[in-house]
Amino acid sequence: MADLVSFRPGVWLAEGPTVSTLGFRYPTRMAVLRLDEGLALWSPVAMSEGLRSEIDALGPVRHLIAPNDLHHLWLDEARGLWPDAQVHAVAPLARKRPDLAFTALGAPVVAWAGALDHVVVPGNRIATEAVFLHRPSGTVLFTDLLQQFPPGYHRGWRAVVARLDLMVGAAPQVPRKFRLAFGDRRAARAALAQVLDWPAEAIVMAHGDPVTSEAHAALARAFDWLMR
């Protein structure tokens, strides 16, 4: 099976290794996004030789993106493979990775204009996350603010915690721990209002199956608790 899977026009997905946090297993997922000038790798995962070859066959990699300050494990590897690519990350990552030179996400990136938008959602004590829209495909990309694990993915007491935390459900949701971690809901609300104005046609999450229909309605439901 190919490492890279076509998702929507100009968007490809690749599954990475499973990582563990406090015994909870998290799958990883990367998106390859076509821009006017080349490719952007959103949340890079571990690279096999085959995956790297498939990416290189699509075009030059111009940008590497760490969408939040938890998703940076393979950024060094990607930077080594594509040393000419510009590295972008949320500003708080500098505290964890003082070794990593990057451009802080915030202001619009001229090189992405017309193809890729992003909004930084501030005020969360667990993680600062930048949400992205790939405009040509209508794909909205989330790392941790939206999750949807399938029933049975976690076992034992962790399954109970995952259910209570809203990590498991019939639709993508904001985990309860992230909801409680918003210290500045007004700032978060303003940021998410921009996301809800986007012409969403699909949703990609790092932890959950992509949403391929009624994406805008799914986003409105997921953030109703914050917006009302």
Side-chain angles (χ1 to χ4, degrees), residues 18 32 38 43-44 47 58 92 95 101 105-107 109 118 144 147 170 189 193 211 215 220-221:
T18 298
V32 179
S43 193
M47 293 288 162
L58 294 175
R95 292 194 293 269
L105 292 165
V109 179
H118 74 278
D144 292 315
Q147 298 182 26
R189 190 177 297 117
V211 175
R221 286 193 299 270

Side-chain angles (χ1 to χ4, degrees), residues 121-125 179-190 226:
V121 182
N124 196 285
R125 290 182 290 271
R179 299 185 187 200
L180 296 174
F182 275 113
D184 188 345
R185 288 200 174 192
R186 178 177 295 181
R189 190 177 297 117
L226 178 65

Side-chain angles (χ1 to χ4, degrees), residues 7 13 20 23 30 37 39 44 54 57 81 119 178 182 184 191 198:
F7 176 63
L13 304 179
S20 180
M30 174 180 67
E37 61 166 356
L39 304 174
E54 289 185 79
L81 294 174
V119 172
F178 280 92
F182 275 113
D184 188 345
W198 284 343

Side-chain angles (χ1 to χ4, degrees), residues 25-40:
R25 297 178 298 117
Y26 287 86
T28 57
R29 174 176 291 135
M30 174 180 67
V32 179
L33 309 172
R34 185 175 296 286
L35 310 178
D36 291 339
E37 61 166 356
L39 304 174

Side-chain angles (χ1 to χ4, degrees), residues 9-146:
V11 180
W12 296 264
L13 304 179
E15 307 303 311
T18 298
V19 298
S20 180
T21 301
L22 299 176
F24 287 88
R25 297 178 298 117
Y26 287 86
T28 57
R29 174 176 291 135
M30 174 180 67
V32 179
L33 309 172
R34 185 175 296 286
L35 310 178
D36 291 339
E37 61 166 356
L39 304 174
L41 305 188
W42 172 91
S43 193
V45 296
M47 293 288 162
S48 66
E49 194 64 39
L51 179 56
R52 179 189 178 184
S53 297
E54 289 185 79
I55 292 171
D56 286 339
L58 294 175
V61 175
R62 302 298 191 194
H63 302 276
L64 305 172
I65 302 169
N68 74 12
D69 44 337
L70 302 176
H71 284 243
H72 60 88
L73 295 180
W74 293 285
L75 204 54
D76 263 346
E77 179 186 13
R79 186 174 57 172
L81 294 174
W82 295 284
D84 294 330
Q86 187 171 358
V87 180
H88 308 264
V90 292
L93 184 60
R95 292 194 293 269
K96 290 184 177 180
R97 297 293 306 274
D99 61 305
L100 190 65
F102 62 82
T103 299
L105 292 165
V109 179
V110 174
W112 299 346
L116 197 60
D117 292 352
H118 74 278
V119 172
V120 176
V121 182
N124 196 285
R125 290 182 290 271
I126 297 176
T128 296
E129 179 163 331
V131 183
F132 284 80
L133 169 68
H134 183 252
R135 281 198 171 273
S137 68
T139 303
V140 178
L141 300 108
F142 282 87
T143 38
D144 292 315
L145 281 182
L146 277 189

